Amino acid sequence: MNAIVLLLVGLAAMALGYLFYSKFIAEKIYRLEADFRTPAHTMRDGVDYVPTNRFVLWGHHFTSVAGAAPIVGPAIAVIWGWGPAFLWVILGTVFFAGVHDFGALWASVRNKGQSMGMLSGSYIGRRGRNLFLVVIFLLLLMVNAAFAVVISNLLVSTPTAVIPVWGAILVALVIGQLIYRYRAGLLWPSIGGVAVLYALIWVGSMYPIALPETVLGMGARSFWIVLLFLYAGVASLLPVWVLLQPRDYINGLQLFLGLGILYAAVLIASPTIVAPAFNDAVPAGTPSLVPLLFVTIACGAISGFHGMVASGTTSKQLDKETDARFVGYFGAVGEGMLSLAAIICCTAGFATLVDWQEVYSKFGGGNVTAFVNGGEALISRGLGLPENLGSTMLATMAILFAATTMDTGLRLQRFVVQEAGELAGFKVNTLVGTVLALAVCMALAFGAGADGAGGMVIWPLFGTTNQLLAALTLAIISVILIKKGRNPVFTMVPLAFLLVMSVYALVVQLRTFYDDGNWLLLGMDIVILVAALWVALEAAIAMARGRDAAGETDAAGA
């Protein structure tokens, strides 16, 4: 099958979802109001609550949620064939992720910018809130620790990406000053920022920077991890307009340009997909497609982390409530487009089926490296660019999105620490909250594995926890809709599907962790399973109460 067919069908489906389905959800279900005063205005503080242009905010939201996961998940999942991965990404983006991300943003904006963790207390009760915060904290811990390891591995394996990755920080700082301090508008800073960023990619491809085996007594990977966490800590303390917003915005432009280059290469090269649509000869040890497909591809189909971003940082910057459709739903579409590109690179970027089978000789064999190498081959064939330049561009793209996710993830983890402190009866200031969040993440990265590899120890639970969190977020949105007397079916259907698949996956993983003697993951699995089921039960009770209350209101009105 030609990859062009996959590309055009996927893009058309997501475009139709945004144009029609998201409009229906905005008008009939969430009922957005143009004159509603958002928390960015009512609680404006110049640090976290800042009214923001919707294009800039979309850039922040999109790049914060589009980390390494929408590349890694599909790159692993195509081992079952491109068909299941493609269908889950497209259907998940249109009917699951868009509604979830959009809904989390709307719910938070309507409740003074509160996070989903705090909203769970308002709508499903105190016990549910406390357990919800446990799941959130564990997920953020996985994201921050694991992404630091993913980035460090790419910086070591692709030294040509070092200059553009760190140079992008300076570009973002300049853009932030131009837009907010000097009121330069968006057009010329955007054009100049993208031009400089791609110039840095060219410079990096010419001058790679490879660290020696030992730096300040640490291995190269460990050094990069420490540096990444220090950067993320500083970035999370700065006002969002200084670095977070402009960095995310310029990265969003860079991704769309990068996707455009990749898609153009596919259209010109017209590659054949060498991988099977449904692989009936998976390697030994590969888990079953159901339920593992639906937790292996989390980001790119639906992700609970998106709800944390939408309610944690994005809701505090939304200028108008009507912008929520563009920022929330289209942000999910952008990530779906990235996952679609990953599927094509990892199935059509190989010369033969034998070459593909060599990489996918075991479960997990395909990863971000398969995306970079496959994309590099497509760009070289389609556009004639040097392979070194193509691999630098794709590696930089993957690193920048993982890094922006770390920026936002650490800020969100600080919010969770501060919220937990409030619930315990004491105030945690911003600096202390950030230090505590950093300490926990670094303890995992360096305490559970050699050379900073510990962040990947809990990666097997990331996808499952992510999908459980998405289900719980949809449960809260459903409770809100029921209490408002609106039809919750559009959130309840994805909620039921995700809850069943995630719990099923957790149970399957319990047996695996027990057989492997992996007591850390076994213990975390049990904690997450119990907490999620408890929150789901509390949410079901809240839905029943909300339905009764809505019925009484209708009866009284009659």
Side-chain angles (χ1 to χ4, degrees):
M1 181 176 178
N2 195 293
I4 293 177
V5 176
L6 216 61
L7 175 64
L8 296 180
V9 170
L11 292 179
M14 286 186 274
L16 291 172
Y18 176 72
L19 291 173
F20 298 104
Y21 191 59
S22 73
K23 183 179 180 182
F24 167 78
I25 296 295
E27 295 177 354
K28 304 299 182 181
I29 307 302
Y30 299 146
R31 301 180 190 175
L32 305 184
E33 297 177 13
D35 57 353
F36 177 80
R37 293 199 71 208
T38 64
H41 292 280
T42 60
M43 304 174 67
R44 184 170 186 166
D45 62 5
V47 178
D48 295 317
Y49 294 85
V50 179
T52 304
N53 178 285
R54 68 174 185 153
F55 295 102
V56 175
L57 185 56
W58 177 85
H60 156 70
H61 179 79
F62 168 50
T63 55
S64 293
V65 300
I71 296 173
V72 175
I76 294 173
V78 293
I79 196 169
W80 291 298
W82 61 261
F86 176 77
L87 289 174
W88 175 227
V89 164
I90 299 306
L91 295 176
T93 295
V94 173
F95 297 107
F96 286 52
V99 175
H100 168 275
D101 298 11
F102 184 5
L105 179 55
W106 165 76
S108 179
V109 166
R110 282 284 170 166
N111 289 272
K112 300 180 180 180
Q114 289 186 344
S115 70
M116 296 312 301
M118 297 304 287
L119 283 176
S120 62
S122 303
Y123 288 96
I124 65 176
R126 182 167 53 186
R127 287 190 304 270
R129 175 197 60 200
N130 294 341
L131 292 167
F132 199 97
L133 286 175
V134 169
V135 178
I136 291 172
F137 185 84
L138 290 175
L139 177 65
L140 291 173
L141 178 63
M142 296 178 201
V143 169
N144 293 329
F147 278 22
V149 177
V150 170
I151 295 170
S152 69
N153 288 339
L154 281 170
L155 288 172
V156 170
S157 65
T158 315
T160 54
V162 172
I163 288 177
V165 164
W166 293 103
I169 298 173
L170 296 177
V171 173
L173 288 169
V174 171
I175 289 177
Q177 295 296 314
L178 289 174
I179 293 175
Y180 288 99
R181 188 178 296 277
Y182 297 104
R183 307 295 178 184
L186 282 179
L187 180 60
W188 292 112
S190 300
I191 294 173
V194 171
V196 172
L197 188 55
Y198 272 86
L200 289 172
I201 290 174
W202 179 80
V203 172
S205 68
M206 300 294 292
Y207 302 99
I209 297 179
L211 295 180
E213 290 186 7
T214 303
V215 182
L216 300 177
M218 296 178 286
R221 287 180 173 82
S222 295
F223 177 79
W224 283 129
I225 289 172
V226 171
L227 199 59
L228 285 164
F229 273 123
L230 290 176
Y231 157 74
V234 172
S236 71
L237 291 170
L238 293 173
V240 291
W241 66 268
V242 173
L243 180 58
L244 189 69
Q245 280 184 0
R247 177 174 164 82
D248 291 350
Y249 173 65
I250 201 66
N251 282 348
L253 295 178
Q254 180 261 346
L255 171 67
F256 260 78
L257 184 55
L259 281 177
I261 292 172
L262 194 55
Y263 288 162
V266 171
L267 292 173
I268 295 171
S270 188
T272 298
I273 298 174
V274 300
F278 295 91
N279 189 9
D280 55 3
V282 295
T286 301
S288 62
L289 185 149
V290 177
L292 267 297
L293 170 70
F294 304 103
V295 297
T296 300
I297 300 180
C299 301
I302 181 171
S303 163
F305 179 69
H306 295 195
M308 299 305 99
V309 175
S311 65
T313 57
T314 308
S315 64
K316 298 173 177 60
Q317 303 170 60
L318 195 72
D319 185 29
K320 299 177 181 178
E321 189 179 54
T322 48
D323 291 345
R325 177 190 171 207
F326 177 77
V327 174
Y329 195 100
F330 192 61
V333 169
E335 188 165 77
M337 292 170 64
L338 178 57
S339 286
L340 176 62
I343 291 171
I344 292 173
C345 288
C346 296
T347 57
F350 295 86
T352 66
L353 175 60
V354 174
D355 293 332
W356 182 83
Q357 289 173 331
E358 286 181 3
V359 173
Y360 287 88
S361 59
K362 63 177 181 178
F363 185 71
N367 50 40
V368 69
T369 304
F371 165 75
V372 172
N373 292 340
E376 170 192 315
L378 292 176
I379 291 173
S380 178
R381 272 189 275 164
L383 302 179
L385 296 180
E387 291 188 356
N388 190 41
L389 183 60
S391 63
T392 301
M393 183 186 75
L394 293 173
T396 300
M397 180 190 299
I399 292 171
L400 288 180
F401 285 101
T404 51
T405 299
M406 273 190 70
D407 293 358
T408 303
L410 197 65
R411 188 180 290 256
L412 292 174
Q413 197 156 22
R414 184 245 296 173
F415 289 161
V416 173
V417 170
Q418 290 177 306
E419 289 173 351
E422 290 178 13
L423 296 177
F426 56 88
K427 184 176 178 62
V428 179
N429 67 37
T430 300
L431 179 59
V432 172
T434 300
V435 171
L436 289 175
L438 275 173
V440 175
C441 292
M442 293 185 71
L444 174 65
F446 290 99
D451 197 20
M456 298 306 292
V457 168
I458 56 177
W459 184 258
L461 274 175
F462 166 75
T464 310
T465 308
N466 205 6
Q467 302 304 63
L468 267 176
L469 192 57
L472 299 179
T473 298
L474 286 166
I476 295 172
I477 298 169
S478 298
V479 172
I480 295 173
L481 291 174
I482 290 170
K483 288 191 172 183
K484 289 180 176 292
R486 300 177 192 173
N487 189 352
V489 68
F490 304 98
T491 54
M492 291 289 288
V493 170
L495 158 61
F497 181 84
L498 286 175
L499 192 59
V500 170
M501 289 300 168
S502 301
V503 170
Y504 185 7
L506 275 176
V507 173
V508 170
Q509 288 174 325
L510 272 176
R511 179 60 184 269
T512 302
F513 298 149
Y514 178 81
D515 291 343
D516 294 343
N518 194 329
W519 309 120
L520 172 63
L521 290 186
L522 180 68
M524 291 183 67
D525 194 320
I526 292 172
V527 170
I528 293 167
L529 180 59
V530 171
L533 290 176
W534 198 333
V535 174
L537 178 60
E538 297 274 358
I541 294 171
M543 288 179 200
R545 289 174 179 166
R547 191 174 291 108
D548 292 342
E552 291 173 3
T553 301
D554 291 342

